[in-house]
Amino acid sequence: MTVLPTVPDAALPVLFKAACPDCRARFELSAGALRLAIGGSRRTTFYSFTCPECGSAVRKPAGERIVELLTGGGVRTLRLHSTG
């Protein structure tokens, strides 16, 4: 996951480089095209998007650095809570 541009500019939208594991396409997505879910463990913290090339629903794990990049770039975040 890469954030563009490397130098923040309020006039420019933040774009994220991503890839689809199904069709192998590489592309850039706006913050609005991504969703971040933060759970109570590494297994339940992930980001998701729909591949613009093949339409596949993609879900990938999000470590601390990815969470920082996505939240800093304005990606909508959902906090998952344990029901147990």
Side-chain angles (χ1 to χ4, degrees):
M1 175 67 54
T2 305
V3 178
L4 298 177
T6 56
V7 178
D9 182 344
L12 296 175
V14 175
L15 295 175
F16 299 91
K17 287 187 178 183
C20 177
D22 292 338
C23 72
R24 305 274 188 228
R26 295 186 173 278
F27 39 82
E28 294 178 354
L29 296 171
S30 68
L34 293 152
R35 297 292 176 267
L36 174 63
I38 300 176
S41 71
R42 294 179 71 166
R43 230 171 50 148
T44 58
T45 299
F46 60 90
Y47 66 98
S48 62
F49 58 90
T50 300
C51 175
E53 299 294 321
C54 71
S56 291
V58 178
R59 177 175 160 164
K60 295 187 175 187
E64 287 182 33
R65 181 70 180 135
I66 298 295
V67 169
E68 283 180 30
L69 291 171
L70 294 176
T71 56
V75 172
R76 193 175 351 179
T77 303
L78 173 65
R79 297 209 178 260
L80 305 175
H81 297 282
S82 173
T83 59

